[in-house]
């Protein structure tokens, strides 16, 4: 157990819908990262927050957004969902460079 | 061309064998190198973390980084069936931008 928690574990929804994925980092970790893992693209970095502020952005679609709250938990919002958004979404947290610890992931299926 | 290349396998070896997993990369800014293990439908688990060139050993695992060749390796000694998983290499640059760039992962099976 990495200490990073993610909810829900599984999510099934329809195209055009909006969902929110939640992540709680390890105690004391100020950075939260979101990654998407699909069969054809592998693990791709989406976005990073550090102590409530956006720090880095990767290949995140405009339909996706994220935020980190004062208690350091983070939410990833996915809207206008498409079939191709079906993937595993991971949250990771760290206190310093290099040591990112991943949560168990949320498996999203868009039908 | 991808920044990080990793042979996807699959790789099957008998129990007790030494396993060698490798990645190459093109971005010379990468300074931090990691190996993650991912069991099916689970989150990646950090195995090894090294900074810059050199070797690091932890139990049955040894990580090597050769920055001059842009080549990293993970060796697993006395491999066990429980080592069967997908192994992902990951890298980040010393820039304050701490995103990880991952290889595609190598699927490893240890045959009892």
């Amino acid at each position: 157990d990495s200490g990073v928690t993610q909810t829900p574990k599984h999510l099934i929804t329809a195209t055009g819908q909006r969902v929110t994925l939640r992540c709680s980092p390890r105690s004391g970790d100020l950075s939260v990262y979101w990654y998407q893992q699909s069969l054809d693209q592998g693990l791709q970095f989406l976005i990073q927050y550090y102590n409530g502020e956006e720090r880095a952005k990767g290949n995140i679609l405009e339909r996706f957004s994220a935020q980190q709250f004062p208690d350091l938990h983070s939410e990833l919002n996915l809207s206008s969902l498409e079939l191709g958004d079906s993937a595993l979404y991971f949250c990771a947290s760290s206190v310093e460079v290099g040591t990112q610890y991943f949560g168990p992931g949320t498996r999203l299926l868009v039908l | 061309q991808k920044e990080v290349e990793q042979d996807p396998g699959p790789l099957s070896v008998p129990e007790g064998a030494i396993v060698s997993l490798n990645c190459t990369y093109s971005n010379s800014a990468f300074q931090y190198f990691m190996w993650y293990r991912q069991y099916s439908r689970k989150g990646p688990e950090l195995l090894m973390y090294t900074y810059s060139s050199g070797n690091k050993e932890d139990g049955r695992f040894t990580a090597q980084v050769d920055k001059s060749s842009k080549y990293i390796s993970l060796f697993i000694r006395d491999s066990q069936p429980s080592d069967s998983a997908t192994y992902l290499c990951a890298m980040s640059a010393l820039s304050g931008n701490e995103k990880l760039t991952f290889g595609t992962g190598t699927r490893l099976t240890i045959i009892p």
Side-chain angles (χ1 to χ4, degrees), chain B residues 16-93:
Chain B
I18 295 175
V19 177
S20 173
L21 304 167
N22 311 292
C23 287
T24 59
Y25 63 96
S26 57
N27 188 346
S28 58
F30 288 143
Q31 296 281 351
Y32 297 87
F33 304 92
M34 287 130 277
W35 286 95
Y36 285 84
R37 177 175 64 194
Q38 186 175 25
Y39 293 111
S40 182
R41 298 175 176 264
K42 303 290 186 183
E45 171 193 0
L46 181 65
L47 279 178
M48 301 288 284
Y49 158 58
T50 52
Y51 169 66
S52 195
S53 284
N55 295 354
K56 185 173 183 178
E57 188 173 320
D58 184 1
R60 297 185 296 111
F61 298 92
T62 299
Q64 288 185 351
V65 175
D66 181 349
K67 290 190 66 182
S68 63
S69 301
K70 296 189 176 67
Y71 188 87
I72 71 170
S73 301
L74 177 70
F75 297 96
I76 306 174
R77 291 182 299 280
D78 187 26
S79 55
Q80 305 294 312
S82 58
D83 295 328
S84 297
T86 296
Y87 289 79
L88 300 146
C89 63
M91 312 178 186
S92 66

Side-chain angles (χ1 to χ4, degrees), chain A residues 13-16 36-42 44 46 59 61 63-64 78-89 108-111:
Chain A
T13 188
T15 55
Q36 180 192 57
Q37 187 175 38
S38 59
L39 283 175
D40 56 342
Q41 294 290 323
Q44 299 283 319
L46 294 178
N59 298 323
L61 299 171
R63 301 182 286 108
F64 295 1
L78 315 177
S79 62
S80 302
L81 284 167
E82 302 175 359
L83 296 177
D85 298 327
S86 296
L88 267 168
Y89 291 85
L108 173 66
L109 180 60
V110 182
L111 299 176

Side-chain angles (χ1 to χ4, degrees), chain A residues 10 31 33 35 37 40 42-43 45 48 55-56 88 90 94 96-105 107, chain B residues 2 32 34 36 38 40-46 49 88 92-94 96-104:
Chain A
H10 304 279
S31 275
Y33 311 77
Y35 292 85
Q37 187 175 38
D40 56 342
L43 257 171
F45 169 74
Q48 178 201 357
R55 174 166 278 192
L88 267 168
F90 289 106
S94 77
E96 61 184 271
V97 174
T99 50
Q100 290 185 28
Y101 294 88
F102 282 73
R107 183 173 295 272
Chain B
K2 292 184 177 180
Y32 297 87
M34 287 130 277
Y36 285 84
Q38 186 175 25
S40 182
R41 298 175 176 264
K42 303 290 186 183
E45 171 193 0
L46 181 65
Y49 158 58
L88 300 146
S92 66
L94 186 64
N97 177 350
E98 300 162 13
K99 70 165 190 172
L100 293 181
T101 301
F102 281 85
T104 51

